[in-house]
Amino acid sequence: MHLAKNIYNLIVSTIFCAEASCASQIKTARAVREEFGEPAAVRSGVADWAKVSYDHSERGVDKVVRKQGTKLNVTMSNVRLDGEEIPYIDPRDFFRYIVDNGLTAMLAGLPIEQQHLAPQVWRDFWRKYKILHPHHQIFDVENIGDYGRLIGLYIHGDEGRTLKKSGLMVTSVQSVLGRGFDNKRLKRDVSGFLKPQVNFAGQTFTSRFVSFVMPKTLYDKKPNIYHQALDLYSRNLSGLLEDGVYDSYTGDLYKFVVLGCKGDLPYLAKSGYLNRTFNTGAKKGNSTKSHGICHLCLAGYPDYPAEQINTWQPTWTATMGVTLPWSTTPPFIMHLLHDAIDPARFFAVDLWHCVHLGFGRSWVASVVCLVLDVLPQTNLDLKWKFLTDHYITWCRANKKQTHVSKVTAYLMSYDDKTGKQGRWHKGALTTNFCGWLLRLLQDVPADSAGFLARCQSGTANLNAMFECFYQGGFFLDRTECEYSALCGMKFLTAYSFLARKQFEKDRPDMFPLYPKLHLMHHMILRMREDGNEFGFSQNAMATSCQMDEDVIGRVSRISRRVSIRMVMERTMGRYLVGCHTAWKSAGLIT
């Protein structure tokens, strides 16, 4: 009986899963009704699902969801943009729902029962943020009131994959603060106060609030429609600061301000109208044209080489904030507050994308190709087999998921003479490989030139830098800043050295100098400078999109389970169902 009840509860939970197709949920509900009987199905609400017709499954399931109240009670309406109806959740409605239900503690990264501590966390955040960003326009606003009830936000956008591998742009907003990297601990400083933490822990549907999705087929056909949506979105977010959200129960007025837009580099370029970005650099080494590759400075122009990554004093530092990286003012800058001296900083770089889905793959692939030269096996097939066996053994010993079944020439870009890029698209695999390399480089013979020793040192420093980040809070103290910046610089110096030496050996495909290396250089210089001057700096992982990728994946999977003709409306509706389940599981709602 007990086993049957557990099985029944498990099946019922799958019925209310937002990511399952409607037809599969109806089929499961009918199976549950048949197995456990009509009375049990009626008590659990499964009977309503079992009655839905397969012919109109999505419409019927939507009616059941509305009837049973298993959708988060946030208003979704249609807005008309460029002749198209776009299902849209006003971010003001999302935060009004949070305030009305007494959930503002979650925006400070605290449990609901510690709501009284949230103002302390926010006041500490704004005190430090003002020191690091004294020219931000928020500090010129006169009617802010209590900074303990001023909530900082980040915008995030990225493209997922919907039906037939087509793109689906997902746009959301989130609190800048959360429960840190560990959901089980609340960290305090030496004085006993709670430290502001990054927004990583917890189910992402409880911390990221999606306002709209848009298929690529639509914004390819009408290129202006996405920017019109961002303009509306920006104006709505601006209203959260101007008008705020009033808590009728406590009498408190909460205000919200967007501190930045984060995303991968293509999204930043699209949303910010950026004309200096990763894909505007010189395509040939002998190019005489001026090309900027960074929206934060003039790196990439002839006098400011972006490849200068092995120094604390690169020439491009004098050009930061000198010239705006856009010709047309983007909607976010037009409607939202930003740094008055350097507006481009609004578009925040994601270090996780830069490394784990960027040059980190190139580093791993290049190091592996160097290792091949010293392996004693007699042919390449045996060498790749050795690497595969060694990697799988390491994963088992360290209880890591392998993510791949083999280490192959294709995976490591062995035959790609345009540059070792690493042909995988999972950031966790880069993390695995960087841990594995340390063991691999201990177990293989040394090379006469000492390149592998530099590879081991560089990998150790890269891993140590991220370990420091993941153990820190939203702000890193002076010691953490110095240590992480030093580790980062040692890695960049090793990368630059190996790239130069391999180029001299007529192997220009090894250790390619991609623009993302320059962006990491920006971050470590900023941390070192802030740490020296102020005694703390913002954690580089605060603007990471690592957890946002989870939201993109979940929403994209939902979009593949609904009608392609109503993909926006049905995806957003099912997203709210998923939110209801996640918020209820987290104890935020009953």
Side-chain angles (χ1 to χ4, degrees):
M1 178 65 74
H2 191 65
L3 177 62
K5 183 177 180 181
N6 288 339
I7 294 173
Y8 173 73
N9 289 335
L10 177 62
I11 294 174
V12 170
S13 69
T14 64
I15 293 174
F16 294 96
C17 175
E19 297 178 23
S21 67
C22 291
S24 68
Q25 294 178 75
I26 296 168
K27 184 178 181 180
T28 303
R30 292 181 178 182
V32 170
R33 183 180 62 182
E34 183 176 346
E35 178 70 21
F36 294 95
E38 185 71 22
V42 171
R43 285 196 305 272
S44 65
V46 172
D48 290 334
W49 290 74
K51 295 175 184 177
V52 177
S53 169
Y54 283 119
D55 294 335
H56 303 287
S57 59
E58 291 186 24
R59 185 190 310 166
V61 165
D62 186 62
K63 288 181 179 178
V64 173
V65 167
R66 292 176 185 274
K67 174 184 175 182
Q68 296 183 344
T70 53
K71 180 186 292 188
L72 201 67
N73 190 24
V74 178
T75 303
M76 183 175 71
S77 57
N78 286 341
V79 295
R80 192 163 186 82
L81 301 173
D82 203 3
E84 302 284 345
E85 294 288 333
I86 309 297
Y88 179 76
I89 299 176
D90 191 323
R92 294 173 295 186
D93 290 332
F94 237 128
F95 290 111
R96 190 174 294 114
Y97 178 85
I98 290 172
V99 171
D100 288 347
N101 285 274
L103 302 175
T104 52
M106 63 189 280
L107 302 176
L110 300 176
I112 302 305
E113 60 270 18
Q114 293 188 336
Q115 171 68 40
H116 61 288
L117 298 176
Q120 166 204 309
V121 175
W122 281 113
R123 291 186 194 106
D124 184 38
F125 170 83
W126 289 113
R127 178 181 63 81
K128 292 179 177 177
Y129 194 84
K130 184 174 184 178
I131 293 172
L132 296 179
H133 304 271
H135 303 294
H136 198 284
Q137 293 173 335
I138 185 61
F139 301 113
D140 296 327
V141 178
E142 296 181 353
N143 61 340
I144 291 298
D146 183 5
Y147 276 88
R149 291 178 177 82
L150 176 64
I151 314 299
L153 305 174
Y154 283 138
I155 296 168
H156 176 262
D158 197 5
E159 195 174 77
R161 287 289 169 264
T162 186
L163 291 172
K164 298 182 179 180
K165 296 185 179 181
S166 181
L168 182 78
M169 188 68 77
V170 182
T171 305
S172 63
V173 68
Q174 62 195 254
S175 174
V176 301
L177 299 185
R179 297 192 179 187
F181 302 105
D182 185 347
N183 202 17
K184 299 178 181 178
R185 292 181 294 166
L186 293 176
K187 299 180 178 63
R188 298 177 183 267
D189 59 20
V190 291
S191 62
F193 289 108
L194 291 171
K195 297 167 62 176
Q197 299 294 316
V198 296
N199 194 350
F200 264 63
Q203 217 276 18
T204 51
F205 271 8
T206 65
S207 59
R208 272 74 176 165
F209 316 119
V210 178
S211 279
F212 64 98
V213 299
M214 190 176 292
K216 184 177 176 61
T217 52
L218 179 57
Y219 57 81
D220 275 353
K221 181 177 66 175
K222 297 183 175 182
N224 292 328
I225 193 169
Y226 184 68
H227 291 288
Q228 291 179 15
L230 290 187
D231 186 83
L232 171 66
Y233 195 49
S234 302
R235 286 187 276 112
N236 290 160
L237 288 168
S238 177
L240 282 168
L241 178 63
E242 295 169 3
D243 304 322
V245 178
Y246 180 72
D247 187 340
S248 58
Y249 181 76
T250 65
D252 296 323
L253 179 64
Y254 290 89
K255 295 193 173 184
F256 303 78
V257 58
V258 177
L259 298 179
C261 170
K262 62 175 186 167
D264 60 13
L265 296 182
Y267 181 76
L268 296 186
K270 182 179 183 67
S271 61
Y273 296 127
L274 302 182
N275 51 33
R276 296 197 311 264
T277 185
F278 69 101
N279 61 356
T280 59
K283 301 301 185 288
K284 296 181 180 180
N286 58 358
S287 175
T288 58
K289 295 182 180 179
S290 297
H291 297 273
I293 59 95
C294 177
H295 66 285
L296 300 172
C297 70
L298 298 183
Y301 285 84
D303 295 333
Y304 311 106
E307 298 79 11
Q308 190 184 27
I309 59 173
N310 58 347
T311 174
W312 293 109
Q313 297 178 321
T315 56
W316 49 259
T317 53
T319 69
M320 292 172 59
V322 169
T323 305
L324 291 175
W326 51 73
S327 302
T328 302
T329 304
F332 292 152
I333 300 300
M334 188 179 303
H335 299 296
L336 300 173
L337 302 186
H338 49 271
D339 191 300
I341 302 298
D342 191 2
R345 291 180 67 182
F346 186 90
F347 297 94
V349 174
D350 170 17
L351 183 62
W352 180 79
H353 257 103
C354 287
V355 179
H356 292 79
L357 296 176
F359 64 79
R361 298 181 301 181
S362 300
W363 172 261
V364 170
S366 298
V367 172
V368 168
C369 289
L370 285 180
V371 168
L372 289 172
D373 297 337
V374 301
L375 292 181
Q377 285 75 13
T378 55
N379 60 59
L380 274 175
D381 288 340
L382 291 175
K383 292 183 179 185
W384 289 115
K385 184 179 185 305
F386 168 80
L387 292 173
T388 296
D389 293 342
H390 195 283
Y391 173 65
I392 292 175
T393 300
W394 179 88
C395 286
R396 287 173 179 169
N398 291 275
K399 299 180 180 179
K400 302 288 187 181
Q401 184 179 349
T402 60
H403 299 296
V404 291
S405 59
K406 293 181 180 180
V407 179
T408 64
Y410 176 81
L411 189 69
M412 295 298 168
S413 307
Y414 179 73
D415 296 321
D416 190 351
K417 299 305 179 182
T418 63
K420 298 289 183 284
Q421 301 180 47
R423 294 189 177 101
W424 63 88
H425 303 283
K426 192 171 186 65
L429 184 53
T430 307
T431 302
N432 270 14
F433 280 150
C434 285
W436 167 60
L437 284 182
L438 291 180
R439 183 68 210 182
L440 176 67
L441 291 168
Q442 291 176 10
D443 294 346
V444 301
D447 62 317
S448 57
F451 293 149
L452 293 183
R454 292 298 295 266
C455 291
Q456 186 166 23
S457 173
T459 305
N461 279 293
L462 182 65
N463 292 348
M465 180 188 72
F466 275 104
E467 184 177 0
C468 181
F469 291 155
Y470 283 117
Q471 290 179 349
F474 189 94
F475 298 105
L476 303 180
D477 62 30
R478 187 189 303 275
T479 302
E480 291 170 323
C481 290
E482 183 64 31
Y483 176 75
S484 57
L486 182 60
C487 289
M489 180 57 72
K490 286 181 177 179
F491 169 78
L492 291 179
T493 301
Y495 197 110
S496 178
F497 170 81
L498 291 166
R500 185 176 67 255
K501 290 299 181 182
Q502 294 304 307
F503 183 84
E504 292 171 355
K505 293 172 68 68
D506 198 27
R507 300 181 72 179
D509 56 311
M510 300 284 282
F511 302 98
L513 294 169
Y514 292 127
K516 291 179 179 180
L517 288 156
H518 166 76
L519 294 173
M520 174 175 160
H521 200 190
H522 261 287
M523 288 188 166
I524 64 175
L525 292 183
R526 169 68 65 181
M527 281 191 301
R528 183 171 184 261
E529 180 183 345
D530 287 346
N532 289 337
E533 184 174 355
F534 307 120
F536 62 92
S537 185
Q538 182 172 312
N539 192 332
M541 298 308 291
T543 55
S544 165
C545 301
Q546 185 173 346
M547 300 308 297
D548 301 288
E549 291 290 314
D550 180 71
V551 173
I552 302 301
R554 289 175 182 272
V555 174
S556 297
R557 283 193 294 275
I558 291 172
S559 75
R560 298 194 291 268
R561 307 292 189 270
V562 300
S563 169
I564 191 64
R565 295 188 300 274
M566 303 181 67
V567 65
M568 290 186 286
E569 178 181 349
R570 294 280 165 79
T571 298
M572 289 301 297
R574 296 285 289 277
Y575 159 72
L576 289 176
V577 174
C579 283
H580 183 275
T581 302
W583 289 44
K584 190 171 183 178
S585 297
L588 299 174
I589 57 177
T590 57

